[in-house]
Amino acid sequence: MKRPVDVVGAAAFLDGHLPSVPRLAIVVGSGLGALQSALADAVHIPFAEVPGLPATTVAGHSGAFVHGRLGDTEVLVQAGRFHLYEGLPLDVVVGPVRILARLGVESLVFTNAAGAIHPLMQPGDVVILEDLLNLQFRSPLGGPVREGEERFPDMSDPLDRGMRSVLREAATALGVGVQEGVYAAVSGPAYETRAEVRMLQRMGADLVGMSTVPEIVVAAARGLPCGALSLVTNRATGLSTTSLSHREVLEMGRLAGDRVVSLLRQAAPKLGQSGEAK
Ligand code: HPA
């Protein structure tokens, strides 16, 4: 798809088809379909119906905007995302975030599946992201500056401190142990070699995955506060004795996805009022 995503047209379409525009949007990654099932009064709008967005291709990604209530909080879920490894331009990868911003959501929470590099992070753990490494070596902000975006956004603290503490407090309230960590985004789709994992470890990465960073870069350029959670689906390559498959990643997403959902349900009322205040 060569034409840029029609952000204005897509947002207008969603505005006309959603019951309302919630303050909080949640972007869910590989296999975290549990969040969609947890929504009450759900209204689904498949990506394929939104003008200018392609349908998703990866198994485990259904590809829809879903409006509903998570507990008592109204949210808009972006279920499924576009990845660089699908051969799509970054403009498409970050298209939904630009659309959500244009629509008027005020804060974003991203979830993803990740491999754990930190020795204390194990499959099934939920990790609050505290910082990022962009090892995809390109930016979605290249080219003309988009309306509502900054040319040179500050990335010194890309994950909102207030949202991070709301997520930590929600975990404490639920009695769920969570760690915080640095997420490195690589391009994929091949999983890492053992030497690459050793390199990532020395660079300061606790987790490795193939998404989220371009989306947070765009959110930063638009001044939208972000939080992010990784669900550890596996120990990174070479750090476990077994080889790694996409099926294993999806399976762990299904097994531990409920913990992510409970955490988001608990945190949602406060995540929607974010912005460094806490
Ligand atoms: N590497 C990269 N991406 C991933 C991994 C991994 O080990 N697990 C889930 N997504």
Side-chain angles (χ1 to χ4, degrees):
M1 198 171 113
K2 289 269 158 31
R3 259 181 323 122
V5 171
D6 174 12
V7 173
V8 173
F13 175 87
L14 285 177
D15 204 25
H17 288 78
L18 293 172
S20 65
V21 177
R23 297 173 76 170
L24 176 64
I26 303 175
V27 179
V28 290
S30 289
L32 278 172
L35 185 68
Q36 282 190 70
S37 334
L39 293 183
D41 303 328
V43 175
H44 287 249
I45 303 183
F47 287 167
E49 286 176 16
V50 180
L53 274 183
T56 47
T57 59
V58 184
H61 292 262
S62 54
F65 292 102
V66 189
H67 181 284
R69 267 183 307 106
L70 184 61
D72 289 332
T73 310
E74 203 186 303
V75 295
L76 182 55
V77 173
Q78 179 195 318
R81 48 155 66 96
F82 302 105
H83 300 87
L84 212 50
Y85 61 70
E86 292 172 88
L88 297 164
L90 269 177
D91 183 65
V92 172
V93 174
V94 300
V97 168
R98 287 191 165 124
I99 292 166
L100 290 169
R102 169 83 193 184
L103 193 58
V105 307
E106 291 167 23
S107 51
L108 293 167
V109 176
F110 295 90
T111 72
N112 58 47
I117 296 172
H118 190 286
L120 297 180
M121 294 176 182
Q122 296 298 331
D125 286 355
V126 179
V127 182
I128 300 169
L129 301 195
E130 60 175 335
D131 211 341
L132 308 168
L133 286 170
N134 183 357
L135 301 178
Q136 296 184 335
F137 302 114
R138 60 208 109 165
S139 171
L141 305 180
V145 181
R146 298 297 198 94
E147 197 193 325
E149 295 182 11
E150 264 185 74
R151 169 86 300 176
F152 301 111
D154 176 47
M155 289 293 288
S156 61
D157 209 5
L159 291 147
D160 186 78
R161 282 174 185 262
M163 293 175 80
R164 274 154 59 195
S165 42
V166 167
L167 289 167
R168 262 196 314 270
E169 284 158 18
T172 308
L174 292 170
V176 176
V178 283
Q179 305 176 70
E180 292 191 74
V182 175
Y183 174 92
V186 295
S187 305
Y191 289 118
E192 299 65 46
T193 64
R194 285 177 291 134
E196 283 164 350
V197 169
R198 286 196 299 275
M199 171 190 76
L200 292 167
Q201 202 163 28
R202 287 184 191 141
M203 289 173 135
D206 299 311
L207 299 152
V208 56
M210 303 175 192
S211 69
T212 308
V213 171
E215 293 146 285
I216 292 180
V217 168
V218 166
R222 304 187 81 105
L224 267 188
C226 297
L229 295 173
S230 282
L231 172 58
V232 176
T233 50
N234 55 280
R235 292 282 295 152
T237 348
L239 300 178
S240 95
T241 46
T242 53
S243 61
L244 180 58
S245 72
H246 186 55
R247 200 160 48 80
E248 177 186 342
V249 168
L250 290 181
E251 192 55 36
M252 185 49 77
R254 264 189 290 276
L255 287 177
D258 287 347
R259 207 165 320 144
V260 177
V261 173
S262 314
L263 190 57
L264 289 172
R265 189 192 289 117
Q266 177 77 23
K270 287 192 176 167
L271 287 174
Q273 329 156 347
S274 58
E276 288 289 343
K278 288 124 237 140

